[in-house]
Amino acid sequence: MKCWLWLLLFVCPLAAAVPGDENVLAAREAFRNGQSAKLAKQLDALRARSQRHELEPWVEYWQLSQRLDEGAGVEIAAFLSRLSGAYLAEKLRSEWLKKLGMRQRWEDFQREYPLLVQPDQEISCYAMQARLVAQQDLTVLEEARPLWFSSLDLAESCRPLMEKLIASGRISVNDVWERMRRLLEEKKLTAAIKVSLHLPDNQMPAAKTLAEIAAKPLRFLDRAVGGFASRVNREMTLFAVERLAKSDPAAAAKAWQKIEGNFSEAERGYAWGQIASAAAYSHLPEALTWYAQAKDAPLSDNQLAWQARAALRAHDWPMVQRAIERMPPQMAAQPDWIYWLARALAAHGGRDEASALYAKIGGQPNFYSGLADEEMGRPLFLPPTSLALTPEELAEASANPGLKRSLALIRLDMRAEGVREWNWAMGGMGDRQLLAAASLARNSNVLDRSISASVRTVMQHDFALRYPAPFRDLVDPQANRLALDHGWVYGLMRQESRFIMDAKSTVGAKGLMQLMPKTARWVAKKIGLKSYQPAKVAEMNTNVTLGTHYLSMVLASLDNQPVLAVAAYNAGPGRYESCLRRHRPLPAETRHYVAVIAPRLEGAAPEGAS
């Protein structure tokens, strides 16, 4: 009887307000405004309640975070001990370590640092500083050296290490130019100018010259007729070629061919690599020829990926194989590149090797696994649904403090914090625990977290959790009215918003079907929705009505090709048509988006989930 009563409680939504919520919200506001007295008052009010609030640790964290400069070490240590292993302990410890590092309190820093699970770059550099100062450990400098070659902005805590590397001769002039190239490729002109200060005086480019090249690279190349014995002139020319290639690869190739004889083989390879990858991105047929001109020059992950894509477009299977085999192991181990390597091997007789690769990624419920299964002649089927969760497994998930805090945060509209708590709590969970967490989230009407947990399972799956189909009474009639495949609509909605009703993107798209205000207004006018107001775009009924009509319109405009319609819906029809007209590739996020939804277009959606 107790189990049935508990299960009844488990399936009840957890969205209702809880006594103490008002104190948590007031405490958050006080934390944001730096009002320590008001924050302390709210914490006292929570502690005075007979029943402890799930988010009391968050209020404690806010208070301690405000007091990091006050030397509240004893209280911080007590909090970290009490919440050992929790997300909040990791978060506070990370902030505390940054304070300790900033103050160069190396003994305290080294005591706490081993307890941090996920140090970021700033803390990692402080840790290396601590070893260098406290233990005089010079091996730190070699560990720090790879940071120099990243195009990422370095934390301030890394600067002393970089200065020691330069002072000790561990960073050469060539290394300075290599970092500058990477920064310039990322259009980080200001950062590149700062790095150039480490060059010898006779090699230091003028900031004005760099800015002029960035603005008008072709003008610089047209004037480049000599002076190539100078390293700085050669590097500025390479920068101009790289920058011009981004907008006009053919013009860059033409300009480069006139002067490349003045450059070393390594420099020629670098320039051709830049031109070739830009050409591949623009789908120019010359891309493979220009990649061949790069010879064995080092290529970035992105350049290798576009070389492989260009080769795929040309059905040049030997080139596909060479590009993938040059990829770093972690990149080449991704299912998409394993699949295409197998296709390349099979294309010129390596069927046994190809079969081994297909088998490596086959049998899983994902896009490239399905393609691999088709190549092996296997029927597409879903793995069996896992056994039903037991009351004990559900009870364990319901009692998990991290999951409880996550759902409470989301209930109080602190979604970003709730997502972080949720992701941390899932760390180390097995399949059964993940499915129990997914069930807890679903029954709390937090479908995005349910999906987040269920997609992580490896051997046991529940596709009703992974591919939910909520709001049927609204979505199904609308899909029927417009003759849209139900699974397609749900797949698009899942990918657009993860079923978060008030989802809002960084560019302003809103609601379940992520409509831009301008698009919503246009569709409302087209279908004669006289009651439409801009404020209603995220309202569920209005959003689904407008979204499904918009999808139907896009589909009709693209000859009823659903894959093209999905791409246009995500990229925007204007942007999509521009890509087709200019023979440019779809944005990377749109290609991934289509690959996720495509299986649902082919009837592969699980029974009961679409």
Side-chain angles (χ1 to χ4, degrees):
M1 181 68 182
K2 289 182 180 179
C3 286
W4 284 108
L5 178 60
W6 186 90
L7 282 172
L8 181 63
L9 292 173
F10 183 84
V11 299
C12 291
L14 304 179
V18 170
D21 280 358
E22 68 280 6
N23 300 114
V24 175
L25 292 172
R28 180 182 62 165
E29 190 67 19
F31 171 67
R32 287 177 170 177
N33 296 328
Q35 298 169 312
S36 56
K38 182 179 178 181
L39 177 52
K41 182 179 178 181
Q42 299 304 323
L43 180 56
D44 288 341
L46 281 173
R47 286 171 171 168
R49 291 185 176 276
S50 58
Q51 186 171 355
R52 181 167 181 171
H53 195 283
E54 290 159 348
L55 296 181
E56 185 180 316
W58 269 86
V59 180
E60 292 179 289
Y61 156 74
W62 289 329
Q63 185 182 61
L64 290 171
S65 183
Q66 278 189 341
R67 299 181 59 200
L68 288 173
D69 286 323
E70 299 176 12
V74 174
E75 294 168 78
I76 291 171
F79 180 87
L80 295 177
S81 175
R82 182 158 45 86
L83 272 80
S84 178
Y87 167 71
L88 282 174
E90 177 81 358
K91 185 171 174 61
L92 185 63
R93 179 172 280 116
S94 176
E95 293 174 12
W96 194 25
L97 282 167
K98 289 175 183 179
K99 290 289 184 183
L100 294 173
M102 197 181 304
R103 296 169 184 163
Q104 299 189 12
R105 290 173 52 185
W106 302 127
E107 185 177 343
D108 292 336
F109 182 96
Q110 289 188 312
R111 183 180 62 252
E112 285 297 322
Y113 178 71
L115 301 175
L116 191 70
V117 178
Q118 296 177 354
D120 60 16
Q121 185 197 76
E122 182 180 358
I123 294 175
S124 296
C125 282
Y126 276 133
M128 287 188 275
Q129 278 196 58
R131 286 167 51 198
L132 192 61
V133 174
Q135 282 83 40
Q136 298 295 303
D137 184 356
L138 294 178
T139 63
V140 161
L141 295 179
E142 288 306 312
E143 291 178 32
R145 193 172 184 274
L147 291 171
W148 177 263
F149 298 98
S150 168
S151 62
L152 299 175
D153 297 326
L154 296 181
E156 184 62 23
S157 61
C158 302
R159 186 176 56 80
L161 297 166
M162 299 302 105
E163 290 176 349
K164 287 187 180 296
L165 281 167
I166 293 167
S168 65
R170 288 177 170 86
I171 295 292
S172 67
V173 171
N174 285 338
D175 295 333
V176 176
W177 278 117
E178 184 170 344
R179 178 160 175 76
M180 280 192 66
R181 284 183 184 180
R182 297 189 182 191
L183 291 170
L184 291 170
E185 288 169 17
E186 296 292 325
K187 298 186 177 181
K188 295 180 177 180
L189 190 61
T190 302
I193 290 170
K194 288 181 179 178
V195 170
S196 73
L197 299 177
H198 297 295
L199 291 167
D201 290 344
N202 65 344
Q203 291 193 30
M204 196 180 300
K208 181 180 178 182
T209 302
L210 284 167
E212 289 174 350
I213 294 172
K216 297 180 179 178
L218 183 56
R219 176 186 290 183
F220 182 88
L221 290 172
D222 284 342
R223 296 173 179 174
V225 293
F228 298 120
S230 163
R231 176 69 183 267
V232 65
N233 286 348
R234 294 201 310 278
E235 291 291 343
M236 292 303 92
T237 304
L238 290 171
F239 172 40
V241 170
E242 179 269 322
R243 184 56 61 94
L244 179 58
K246 280 185 167 67
S247 59
D248 192 340
K254 183 178 179 181
W256 177 241
Q257 285 168 336
K258 294 176 183 177
I259 57 176
E260 65 172 317
N262 299 288
F263 291 76
S264 70
E265 184 175 354
E267 290 166 336
R268 292 196 298 272
Y270 172 81
W272 282 118
Q274 296 296 323
I275 295 168
S277 58
Y281 184 80
S282 298
H283 289 181
L284 297 185
E286 299 91 345
L288 294 183
T289 299
W290 293 337
Y291 267 115
Q293 295 278 72
K295 298 182 180 177
D296 294 324
L299 299 176
S300 69
D301 294 0
N302 188 55
Q303 288 174 314
L304 289 168
W306 280 106
Q307 181 181 20
R309 292 183 187 120
L312 284 169
R313 286 176 63 83
H315 291 184
D316 186 339
W317 294 110
M319 176 80 75
V320 171
Q321 181 177 344
R322 285 197 298 274
I324 296 173
E325 288 177 345
R326 289 186 67 187
M327 291 176 180
Q330 187 174 1
M331 182 179 177
Q334 295 171 5
D336 49 351
W337 297 125
I338 290 176
Y339 171 79
W340 289 118
L341 178 58
R343 286 285 303 273
L345 290 167
H348 51 85
R351 296 196 175 278
D352 290 342
E353 296 169 276
S355 295
L357 292 175
Y358 290 140
K360 188 175 181 179
I361 61 172
Q364 294 297 317
N366 62 63
F367 183 71
Y368 282 98
S369 177
L371 294 181
D373 286 336
E374 284 184 344
E375 292 294 334
M376 292 188 289
R378 291 178 179 175
L380 295 180
F381 63 91
L382 291 170
T385 299
S386 63
L387 295 175
L389 293 162
T390 66
E392 291 75 19
E393 288 171 323
L394 294 171
E396 181 184 350
S398 186
N400 184 297
L403 299 181
K404 289 167 68 176
R405 283 193 294 269
S406 171
L407 295 175
L409 287 162
I410 292 170
R411 184 186 74 235
L412 294 182
D413 200 25
M414 289 185 271
R415 176 167 287 277
E417 296 92 334
V419 167
R420 294 187 194 107
E421 273 273 21
W422 185 270
N423 291 343
W424 183 268
M426 286 195 296
M429 284 188 176
D431 283 359
R432 301 292 295 179
Q433 293 169 305
L434 288 168
L435 291 174
S439 294
L440 174 65
R442 177 191 60 187
N443 296 326
S444 302
N445 293 323
V446 186
L447 297 182
D448 66 304
R449 294 303 91 202
S450 179
I451 295 168
S452 172
S454 60
V455 297
R456 294 184 181 218
T457 59
V458 178
M459 299 301 294
Q460 299 192 48
H461 308 289
D462 186 334
F463 290 97
L465 292 171
R466 190 177 294 192
Y467 297 102
F471 323 123
R472 278 190 177 275
D473 56 338
L474 174 63
V475 176
D476 287 1
Q478 195 65 34
N480 289 336
R481 192 173 299 118
L482 297 170
L484 296 174
D485 179 88
H486 293 212
W488 187 33
V489 175
Y490 283 116
L492 183 141
M493 194 180 294
R494 176 185 185 272
Q495 197 63 16
E496 285 285 349
S497 67
R498 283 295 197 264
F499 303 109
I500 301 171
M501 285 184 282
D502 58 353
K504 183 176 180 180
S505 76
T506 55
V507 295
K510 296 179 180 180
L512 288 169
M513 300 193 72
Q514 286 292 278
L515 291 170
M516 294 294 289
K518 184 177 179 181
T519 303
R521 185 169 61 250
W522 178 79
V523 175
K525 185 177 180 180
K526 281 280 188 182
I527 66 175
L529 190 63
K530 296 180 180 179
S531 63
Y532 175 73
Q533 297 292 330
K536 291 184 175 182
V537 68
E539 187 180 277
M540 191 194 315
N541 287 14
T542 302
N543 192 269
V544 171
T545 298
L546 295 176
T548 51
H549 273 90
Y550 178 47
L551 184 59
S552 177
M553 293 173 187
V554 171
L555 181 64
S557 72
L558 292 168
D559 298 325
N560 291 311
Q561 295 293 322
V563 173
L564 299 184
V566 164
Y569 190 100
N570 177 255
R575 190 179 180 195
Y576 176 79
E577 288 169 9
S578 173
C579 288
L580 291 181
R581 190 166 53 250
R582 296 165 62 195
H583 301 289
R584 292 184 67 88
L586 288 169
E589 69 273 14
T590 299
R591 294 196 307 273
H592 172 72
Y593 178 92
V594 172
V596 170
I597 296 178
R600 301 176 73 84
L601 305 179
E602 299 169 0
E607 187 70 27
S610 62

